[in-house]
Amino acid sequence: MRRFLATVAISAAVLTTGGPVVAQAADTTCKSVDLDIAFGREGGAAGTVYREVVLTNRGLRTCVLRGFPGVSYVDGNGNRVGAAAVRVGERGALLTLPHGAAAISDVGFAQVDNFDPDVCRKTPVWGIRVFPPDETVPLHLRLTDQHGCAGDVSAFGNQLTAASVRS
């Protein structure tokens, strides 16, 4: 009888403390700390270079992403240069990323020389800062020989655009 009661007590403790018997909660949003970031393929069209920004789950747990990353140019001190990327397209589907899986956002980089130089105020940038969807901690990607517009060019177009993440 004592052995039976001990088994019941241990089982109750495991269930109430979230031990291995309890089913895991639903997948959670991918956090920056669990993501690697890199550039993927690159292409161009009509004065804009498009680069894939690839977010790979390096965490041990499956996580989910949906929506748009926040993207902006930054200088060598981490300060934003010009306006953040404008979102293009639909929000997209919820992506489930097991360990090692990736989500991609297509980011457009306008050729800043196409903007009025007085309005643009062409400025060298260190790279881009990327906030994964629904995340407040940024990731960074280095760019070489890139410039952004420190001025407001929105009346003439967007210096950066970002599409929703996709698989």
Side-chain angles (χ1 to χ4, degrees):
M1 182 70 160
R2 283 187 182 167
R3 185 173 180 174
F4 173 74
L5 291 176
T7 302
V8 170
I10 290 170
S11 296
V14 166
L15 287 172
T16 59
T17 61
V21 175
V22 177
Q24 286 190 341
D27 296 329
T28 59
T29 300
C30 300
K31 301 293 182 193
S32 294
V33 69
D34 292 322
L35 295 171
D36 281 331
I37 188 168
F39 283 118
R41 291 185 294 202
E42 181 178 313
T48 301
V49 172
Y50 292 92
R51 293 183 173 133
E52 293 178 337
V53 171
V54 181
L55 300 168
T56 303
N57 180 9
R58 65 181 164 102
L60 299 178
R61 295 186 179 197
T62 297
C63 62
V64 295
L65 285 177
R66 181 176 185 207
F68 301 89
V71 180
S72 58
Y73 284 125
V74 291
D75 64 19
N77 295 319
N79 299 310
R80 191 172 88 183
V81 175
V86 172
R87 296 172 174 178
V88 293
E90 298 296 319
R91 184 169 180 222
L94 183 69
L95 302 178
T96 301
L97 301 179
H99 173 78
I104 297 166
S105 174
D106 296 310
V107 177
F109 297 80
Q111 300 297 327
V112 297
D113 291 330
N114 292 340
F115 295 110
D116 179 323
D118 293 332
V119 176
C120 174
R121 298 191 340 255
K122 185 176 176 179
T123 304
V125 297
W126 175 90
I128 58 172
R129 174 176 53 204
V130 178
F131 290 92
D134 299 319
E135 177 60 302
T136 58
V137 177
L139 300 168
H140 295 86
L141 276 172
R142 179 87 167 106
L143 290 166
T144 306
D145 299 322
Q146 185 77 27
H147 293 82
C149 291
D152 180 5
V153 296
S154 60
F156 309 100
N158 303 303
Q159 73 169 343
L160 293 168
T161 58
S164 181
V165 293
R166 61 179 171 80
S167 54

